[in-house]
Amino acid sequence: MIRPPPRLLYQVRRNHSATWKKNPKLDQIIRVDHAGELGADRIYAGQYAVLGRTAEGPTIQHMWDQEKIHREKFESLINKYRVRPTVLTPIWNVAGFVLGAGTALLGKEAAMACTVAVETVIVDHYNDQLRTLMEDPNVDKDILQTITKFRDEEQEHHDTGINHGAEQAPFYQALTEVIKAGCKVAIAVSKKI
């Protein structure tokens, strides 16, 4: 005989209805953005490990500090909405650091080219998400404001990269296209896995 859930469970579900009503699009947005902000945090950690004691150090630190806040926010949203993080988190952790440190080892211009490439894809990605969220009449205003704010900060990082010599990096066009392609693959995979 199957027993109905205890009364307490019904009360918990009613009191936390926002977290019990699963929205697949919102889950996907939170999952992929959490993965992306983790990757960005690790990219700047890698860049700072190589260039932290140079003139670019404070600039990288500023962008990294913003990415840490982005990551913390999406970690709280993962918990609030009970979203399963991507199983690729350990890979993005290592890959982000390697990408950041690797491009920084090529020079400050290559590190800034990496920033420009990543942030170009992320700004476009956030804009697509904002369009999707605004189609929902019951959109979570907190998530909408969060993504808008973070998109604006990612655009600032892009512009900072340009202003700090990204376009003078050796093989700038090839380097940024490869990084952009990698980011797009990471986004597509993190949405699902």
Side-chain angles (χ1 to χ4, degrees):
M1 177 174 168
I2 298 175
R3 293 181 14 198
R7 189 162 216 233
L8 180 61
L9 182 58
Y10 287 119
Q11 290 173 339
V12 169
R13 283 183 179 165
R14 187 179 65 243
N15 291 339
H16 300 284
S17 60
T19 60
W20 285 88
K21 293 178 184 174
K22 299 302 274 180
N23 178 337
K25 283 185 181 177
L26 186 58
D27 283 7
Q28 191 178 73
I29 286 171
I30 293 170
R31 178 180 306 107
V32 73
D33 289 355
H34 173 259
E37 295 301 348
L38 165 71
D41 173 15
R42 303 317 302 147
I43 288 169
Y44 287 113
Q47 289 180 350
Y48 192 81
V50 175
L51 298 172
R53 296 180 189 261
T54 69
E56 299 302 318
T59 300
I60 293 168
Q61 182 69 61
H62 170 73
M63 293 187 290
W64 187 16
D65 288 343
Q66 287 181 319
E67 296 297 350
K68 289 176 190 176
I69 292 167
H70 298 182
R71 179 181 175 183
E72 289 171 7
K73 178 62 175 180
F74 279 105
E75 285 176 355
S76 74
L77 292 172
I78 283 266
N79 291 323
K80 177 180 177 182
Y81 288 90
R82 300 178 182 191
V83 174
R84 175 190 52 79
T86 178
V87 298
L88 300 172
T89 297
I91 293 171
W92 299 153
N93 190 2
V94 173
F97 189 88
V98 169
L99 178 60
T103 54
L105 286 169
L106 296 173
K108 76 174 188 77
E109 293 84 4
M112 291 299 144
C114 174
T115 296
V116 167
V118 170
E119 302 300 11
T120 298
V121 173
I122 299 311
V123 167
D124 289 345
H125 170 70
Y126 275 155
N127 281 333
D128 290 343
Q129 287 182 340
L130 289 168
R131 282 188 284 276
T132 298
L133 288 170
M134 287 190 271
E135 291 171 359
D136 180 356
N138 301 316
V139 64
D140 183 319
K141 301 292 188 217
D142 179 48
I143 290 176
L144 196 62
Q145 290 172 347
T146 296
I147 292 175
T148 301
K149 179 179 187 287
F150 291 176
R151 186 261 333 260
D152 294 346
E153 290 176 357
E154 305 298 3
Q155 182 64 53
E156 175 191 318
H157 298 173
H158 170 277
D159 297 346
T160 298
I162 293 292
N163 293 336
H164 285 179
E167 294 170 315
Q168 280 72 51
F171 307 106
Y172 171 78
Q173 194 64 38
L175 179 63
T176 55
E177 290 305 317
V178 167
I179 293 170
K180 286 178 190 178
C183 289
K184 290 174 184 176
V185 168
I187 287 169
V189 170
S190 293
K191 285 179 181 179
K192 303 294 181 192
I193 300 177

PDB file of all heavy atoms in Angstrom, residues 18-35:
ATOM      1  N   ALA A  18       8.071  28.288  -5.489  1.00  0.00           N
ATOM      2  CA  ALA A  18       8.920  28.756  -6.595  1.00  0.00           C
ATOM      3  C   ALA A  18      10.028  27.753  -6.889  1.00  0.00           C
ATOM      4  O   ALA A  18      10.427  27.580  -8.035  1.00  0.00           O
ATOM      5  CB  ALA A  18       9.530  30.110  -6.265  1.00  0.00           C
ATOM      6  N   THR A  19      10.531  27.102  -5.852  1.00  0.00           N
ATOM      7  CA  THR A  19      11.613  26.148  -6.079  1.00  0.00           C
ATOM      8  C   THR A  19      11.080  24.788  -6.486  1.00  0.00           C
ATOM      9  O   THR A  19      11.839  23.969  -6.989  1.00  0.00           O
ATOM     10  CB  THR A  19      12.488  26.004  -4.825  1.00  0.00           C
ATOM     11  OG1 THR A  19      11.683  25.546  -3.752  1.00  0.00           O
ATOM     12  CG2 THR A  19      13.170  27.308  -4.475  1.00  0.00           C
ATOM     13  N   TRP A  20       9.799  24.542  -6.286  1.00  0.00           N
ATOM     14  CA  TRP A  20       9.235  23.234  -6.655  1.00  0.00           C
ATOM     15  C   TRP A  20       8.681  23.234  -8.067  1.00  0.00           C
ATOM     16  O   TRP A  20       8.493  22.197  -8.659  1.00  0.00           O
ATOM     17  CB  TRP A  20       8.137  22.829  -5.662  1.00  0.00           C
ATOM     18  CG  TRP A  20       8.738  22.376  -4.380  1.00  0.00           C
ATOM     19  CD1 TRP A  20       9.063  23.163  -3.321  1.00  0.00           C
ATOM     20  CD2 TRP A  20       9.119  21.058  -4.033  1.00  0.00           C
ATOM     21  NE1 TRP A  20       9.628  22.411  -2.333  1.00  0.00           N
ATOM     22  CE2 TRP A  20       9.660  21.102  -2.743  1.00  0.00           C
ATOM     23  CE3 TRP A  20       9.061  19.823  -4.682  1.00  0.00           C
ATOM     24  CZ2 TRP A  20      10.142  19.981  -2.089  1.00  0.00           C
ATOM     25  CZ3 TRP A  20       9.527  18.713  -4.019  1.00  0.00           C
ATOM     26  CH2 TRP A  20      10.061  18.783  -2.746  1.00  0.00           C
ATOM     27  N   LYS A  21       8.374  24.390  -8.601  1.00  0.00           N
ATOM     28  CA  LYS A  21       7.871  24.472  -9.975  1.00  0.00           C
ATOM     29  C   LYS A  21       9.076  24.582 -10.888  1.00  0.00           C
ATOM     30  O   LYS A  21       9.720  25.622 -10.958  1.00  0.00           O
ATOM     31  CB  LYS A  21       6.964  25.695 -10.146  1.00  0.00           C
ATOM     32  CG  LYS A  21       5.676  25.604  -9.365  1.00  0.00           C
ATOM     33  CD  LYS A  21       4.863  26.864  -9.557  1.00  0.00           C
ATOM     34  CE  LYS A  21       3.623  26.825  -8.690  1.00  0.00           C
ATOM     35  NZ  LYS A  21       2.889  28.082  -8.739  1.00  0.00           N
ATOM     36  N   LYS A  22       9.382  23.523 -11.575  1.00  0.00           N
ATOM     37  CA  LYS A  22      10.564  23.504 -12.429  1.00  0.00           C
ATOM     38  C   LYS A  22      10.254  24.132 -13.781  1.00  0.00           C
ATOM     39  O   LYS A  22       9.259  23.822 -14.409  1.00  0.00           O
ATOM     40  CB  LYS A  22      11.084  22.083 -12.607  1.00  0.00           C
ATOM     41  CG  LYS A  22      11.520  21.406 -11.316  1.00  0.00           C
ATOM     42  CD  LYS A  22      12.610  22.168 -10.599  1.00  0.00           C
ATOM     43  CE  LYS A  22      13.958  21.785 -11.135  1.00  0.00           C
ATOM     44  NZ  LYS A  22      15.045  22.480 -10.480  1.00  0.00           N
ATOM     45  N   ASN A  23      11.120  25.010 -14.200  1.00  0.00           N
ATOM     46  CA  ASN A  23      11.035  25.647 -15.502  1.00  0.00           C
ATOM     47  C   ASN A  23      12.280  25.209 -16.273  1.00  0.00           C
ATOM     48  O   ASN A  23      13.380  25.663 -15.968  1.00  0.00           O
ATOM     49  CB  ASN A  23      10.997  27.165 -15.329  1.00  0.00           C
ATOM     50  CG  ASN A  23      10.960  27.911 -16.643  1.00  0.00           C
ATOM     51  OD1 ASN A  23      11.374  27.404 -17.683  1.00  0.00           O
ATOM     52  ND2 ASN A  23      10.483  29.138 -16.592  1.00  0.00           N
ATOM     53  N   PRO A  24      12.118  24.327 -17.252  1.00  0.00           N
ATOM     54  CA  PRO A  24      13.297  23.810 -17.959  1.00  0.00           C
ATOM     55  C   PRO A  24      14.178  24.893 -18.581  1.00  0.00           C
ATOM     56  O   PRO A  24      15.399  24.783 -18.571  1.00  0.00           O
ATOM     57  CB  PRO A  24      12.704  22.898 -19.032  1.00  0.00           C
ATOM     58  CG  PRO A  24      11.328  22.578 -18.575  1.00  0.00           C
ATOM     59  CD  PRO A  24      10.876  23.736 -17.737  1.00  0.00           C
ATOM     60  N   LYS A  25      13.572  25.942 -19.125  1.00  0.00           N
ATOM     61  CA  LYS A  25      14.377  27.023 -19.714  1.00  0.00           C
ATOM     62  C   LYS A  25      15.189  27.734 -18.642  1.00  0.00           C
ATOM     63  O   LYS A  25      16.366  28.033 -18.844  1.00  0.00           O
ATOM     64  CB  LYS A  25      13.478  28.036 -20.435  1.00  0.00           C
ATOM     65  CG  LYS A  25      12.980  27.595 -21.775  1.00  0.00           C
ATOM     66  CD  LYS A  25      12.206  28.717 -22.435  1.00  0.00           C
ATOM     67  CE  LYS A  25      11.679  28.269 -23.789  1.00  0.00           C
ATOM     68  NZ  LYS A  25      10.875  29.316 -24.424  1.00  0.00           N
ATOM     69  N   LEU A  26      14.552  28.002 -17.514  1.00  0.00           N
ATOM     70  CA  LEU A  26      15.244  28.684 -16.433  1.00  0.00           C
ATOM     71  C   LEU A  26      16.349  27.798 -15.864  1.00  0.00           C
ATOM     72  O   LEU A  26      17.457  28.268 -15.588  1.00  0.00           O
ATOM     73  CB  LEU A  26      14.261  29.091 -15.334  1.00  0.00           C
ATOM     74  CG  LEU A  26      14.835  29.943 -14.214  1.00  0.00           C
ATOM     75  CD1 LEU A  26      15.431  31.239 -14.765  1.00  0.00           C
ATOM     76  CD2 LEU A  26      13.750  30.249 -13.191  1.00  0.00           C
ATOM     77  N   ASP A  27      16.073  26.507 -15.710  1.00  0.00           N
ATOM     78  CA  ASP A  27      17.097  25.569 -15.248  1.00  0.00           C
ATOM     79  C   ASP A  27      18.309  25.608 -16.171  1.00  0.00           C
ATOM     80  O   ASP A  27      19.458  25.652 -15.726  1.00  0.00           O
ATOM     81  CB  ASP A  27      16.559  24.133 -15.201  1.00  0.00           C
ATOM     82  CG  ASP A  27      15.668  23.870 -14.005  1.00  0.00           C
ATOM     83  OD1 ASP A  27      15.346  24.825 -13.267  1.00  0.00           O
ATOM     84  OD2 ASP A  27      15.289  22.705 -13.810  1.00  0.00           O
ATOM     85  N   GLN A  28      18.045  25.592 -17.467  1.00  0.00           N
ATOM     86  CA  GLN A  28      19.122  25.595 -18.459  1.00  0.00           C
ATOM     87  C   GLN A  28      19.929  26.895 -18.371  1.00  0.00           C
ATOM     88  O   GLN A  28      21.164  26.873 -18.420  1.00  0.00           O
ATOM     89  CB  GLN A  28      18.511  25.423 -19.850  1.00  0.00           C
ATOM     90  CG  GLN A  28      19.492  25.152 -20.935  1.00  0.00           C
ATOM     91  CD  GLN A  28      18.783  24.944 -22.258  1.00  0.00           C
ATOM     92  OE1 GLN A  28      18.280  25.900 -22.844  1.00  0.00           O
ATOM     93  NE2 GLN A  28      18.742  23.700 -22.718  1.00  0.00           N
ATOM     94  N   ILE A  29      19.237  28.015 -18.223  1.00  0.00           N
ATOM     95  CA  ILE A  29      19.902  29.314 -18.118  1.00  0.00           C
ATOM     96  C   ILE A  29      20.799  29.352 -16.887  1.00  0.00           C
ATOM     97  O   ILE A  29      21.969  29.746 -16.958  1.00  0.00           O
ATOM     98  CB  ILE A  29      18.869  30.460 -18.095  1.00  0.00           C
ATOM     99  CG1 ILE A  29      18.285  30.660 -19.495  1.00  0.00           C
ATOM    100  CG2 ILE A  29      19.477  31.761 -17.562  1.00  0.00           C
ATOM    101  CD1 ILE A  29      17.097  31.605 -19.562  1.00  0.00           C
ATOM    102  N   ILE A  30      20.270  28.923 -15.752  1.00  0.00           N
ATOM    103  CA  ILE A  30      21.059  28.956 -14.519  1.00  0.00           C
ATOM    104  C   ILE A  30      22.240  27.995 -14.615  1.00  0.00           C
ATOM    105  O   ILE A  30      23.365  28.339 -14.233  1.00  0.00           O
ATOM    106  CB  ILE A  30      20.165  28.648 -13.301  1.00  0.00           C
ATOM    107  CG1 ILE A  30      19.156  29.780 -13.098  1.00  0.00           C
ATOM    108  CG2 ILE A  30      21.007  28.432 -12.046  1.00  0.00           C
ATOM    109  CD1 ILE A  30      18.075  29.497 -12.079  1.00  0.00           C
ATOM    110  N   ARG A  31      22.006  26.802 -15.147  1.00  0.00           N
ATOM    111  CA  ARG A  31      23.087  25.805 -15.267  1.00  0.00           C
ATOM    112  C   ARG A  31      24.225  26.327 -16.131  1.00  0.00           C
ATOM    113  O   ARG A  31      25.398  26.281 -15.761  1.00  0.00           O
ATOM    114  CB  ARG A  31      22.563  24.497 -15.852  1.00  0.00           C
ATOM    115  CG  ARG A  31      23.650  23.439 -16.042  1.00  0.00           C
ATOM    116  CD  ARG A  31      23.112  22.133 -16.624  1.00  0.00           C
ATOM    117  NE  ARG A  31      22.017  21.620 -15.829  1.00  0.00           N
ATOM    118  CZ  ARG A  31      20.723  21.638 -16.205  1.00  0.00           C
ATOM    119  NH1 ARG A  31      20.393  22.088 -17.413  1.00  0.00           N
ATOM    120  NH2 ARG A  31      19.791  21.188 -15.410  1.00  0.00           N
ATOM    121  N   VAL A  32      23.901  26.831 -17.315  1.00  0.00           N
ATOM    122  CA  VAL A  32      24.945  27.259 -18.251  1.00  0.00           C
ATOM    123  C   VAL A  32      25.633  28.533 -17.760  1.00  0.00           C
ATOM    124  O   VAL A  32      26.845  28.683 -17.926  1.00  0.00           O
ATOM    125  CB  VAL A  32      24.394  27.402 -19.683  1.00  0.00           C
ATOM    126  CG1 VAL A  32      23.516  28.615 -19.848  1.00  0.00           C
ATOM    127  CG2 VAL A  32      25.531  27.421 -20.693  1.00  0.00           C
ATOM    128  N   ASP A  33      24.887  29.427 -17.134  1.00  0.00           N
ATOM    129  CA  ASP A  33      25.509  30.654 -16.641  1.00  0.00           C
ATOM    130  C   ASP A  33      26.421  30.369 -15.451  1.00  0.00           C
ATOM    131  O   ASP A  33      27.480  30.991 -15.308  1.00  0.00           O
ATOM    132  CB  ASP A  33      24.453  31.699 -16.288  1.00  0.00           C
ATOM    133  CG  ASP A  33      23.773  32.265 -17.530  1.00  0.00           C
ATOM    134  OD1 ASP A  33      24.187  31.925 -18.656  1.00  0.00           O
ATOM    135  OD2 ASP A  33      22.819  33.044 -17.367  1.00  0.00           O
ATOM    136  N   HIS A  34      26.016  29.440 -14.610  1.00  0.00           N
ATOM    137  CA  HIS A  34      26.889  29.028 -13.508  1.00  0.00           C
ATOM    138  C   HIS A  34      28.197  28.467 -14.059  1.00  0.00           C
ATOM    139  O   HIS A  34      29.291  28.830 -13.612  1.00  0.00           O
ATOM    140  CB  HIS A  34      26.175  27.988 -12.634  1.00  0.00           C
ATOM    141  CG  HIS A  34      27.051  27.397 -11.586  1.00  0.00           C
ATOM    142  ND1 HIS A  34      27.620  26.149 -11.730  1.00  0.00           N
ATOM    143  CD2 HIS A  34      27.465  27.874 -10.397  1.00  0.00           C
ATOM    144  CE1 HIS A  34      28.352  25.890 -10.663  1.00  0.00           C
ATOM    145  NE2 HIS A  34      28.278  26.920  -9.841  1.00  0.00           N
ATOM    146  N   ALA A  35      28.093  27.604 -15.055  1.00  0.00           N
ATOM    147  CA  ALA A  35      29.291  27.019 -15.669  1.00  0.00           C
ATOM    148  C   ALA A  35      30.153  28.106 -16.311  1.00  0.00           C
ATOM    149  O   ALA A  35      31.387  28.104 -16.172  1.00  0.00           O
ATOM    150  CB  ALA A  35      28.898  25.976 -16.711  1.00  0.00           C
TER     151      ALA A  35
END
